[in-house]
Amino acid sequence: MTREDMLLLDAFSYQKDDFQVKRHMIIFYALVSLLGRMEGFCKTDLDIINASAILENIRCMQQENDEVEDELKYFLNKAGYPESYFKDILFLSSKDVEGAVDKRKSLFDEARIISGCIESEEPKKEAMKALGDCKSNTGLKLLMNLCRHPGF
């Protein structure tokens, strides 16, 4: 079992019976991972963005404070992530980073846009509105392909 698998299982256990959060976690995680691979991120960046995508949902459920940071570090440590990754993972898993210029953070923004469309009541309508919000060619292509897919 990989450390990513372990982290995902722990995050799922943490969510207990909250199906909506689990569903969002999987969608967001899959989109972040897919976009990262399509954008040609290196293995280290892929490890960091995937872990961040998983932990973002735990962070969202709690207030920002040192206890949350400690709990997230506990999950990372338990799964076997190197401590040198912690700072970047925690940075990316926090949604509120105003003005951050980081290719990984931009990828997260696009994954949020696309997952918002997928999870909305009217996915195709939301996707059409969101086309202008995607900055990368990869995110734009993915959103356009989703718009064209029957049943979306």
Side-chain angles (χ1 to χ4, degrees):
M1 184 176 321
T2 68
R3 59 183 173 214
E4 198 170 302
D5 295 337
M6 291 174 60
L7 185 61
L8 190 57
L9 287 172
D10 281 346
F12 259 53
S13 294
Y14 183 83
Q15 303 302 345
K16 297 190 175 54
D17 296 328
D18 195 335
F19 175 75
Q20 293 295 90
V21 172
K22 287 179 181 181
R23 187 180 103 188
H24 173 73
M25 183 188 303
I26 290 296
I27 291 169
F28 185 67
Y29 162 74
L31 286 168
V32 164
S33 183
L34 176 65
L35 289 169
R37 288 190 315 273
M38 290 173 70
E39 284 289 308
F41 281 25
C42 69
K43 177 160 177 18
T44 299
D45 278 343
L46 287 172
D47 286 347
I48 289 169
I49 64 172
N50 290 340
S52 299
I54 294 167
L55 293 181
E56 180 178 286
N57 289 286
I58 293 173
R59 182 185 286 272
C60 289
M61 294 179 62
Q62 301 179 16
Q63 297 177 3
E64 296 286 325
N65 61 38
D66 290 338
E67 286 179 20
V68 174
E69 297 280 319
D70 290 343
E71 190 167 9
L72 296 179
K73 286 178 183 178
Y74 168 78
F75 281 115
L76 293 170
N77 203 19
K78 183 178 174 195
Y81 283 86
E83 269 190 56
S84 60
Y85 289 14
F86 287 16
K87 181 180 174 189
D88 287 342
I89 291 171
L90 295 174
F91 165 76
L92 287 172
S93 69
S94 67
K95 285 186 176 182
D96 305 321
V97 182
E98 295 288 324
V101 180
D102 183 298
K103 65 180 181 171
R104 298 169 303 187
K105 199 67 168 169
S106 296
L107 180 136
F108 265 54
D109 292 341
E110 290 193 3
R112 277 190 201 97
I113 291 167
I114 297 167
S115 65
C117 294
I118 291 170
E119 295 175 289
S120 75
E121 294 286 323
E122 299 181 52
K124 188 172 240 170
K125 182 180 175 182
E126 292 302 316
M128 296 300 286
K129 283 195 262 182
L131 283 172
D133 296 332
C134 284
K135 307 276 188 272
S136 75
N137 286 335
T138 304
L140 183 60
K141 286 178 186 175
L142 179 59
L143 197 54
M144 287 174 54
N145 283 333
L146 290 173
C147 287
R148 291 185 191 131
H149 186 350
F152 182 69

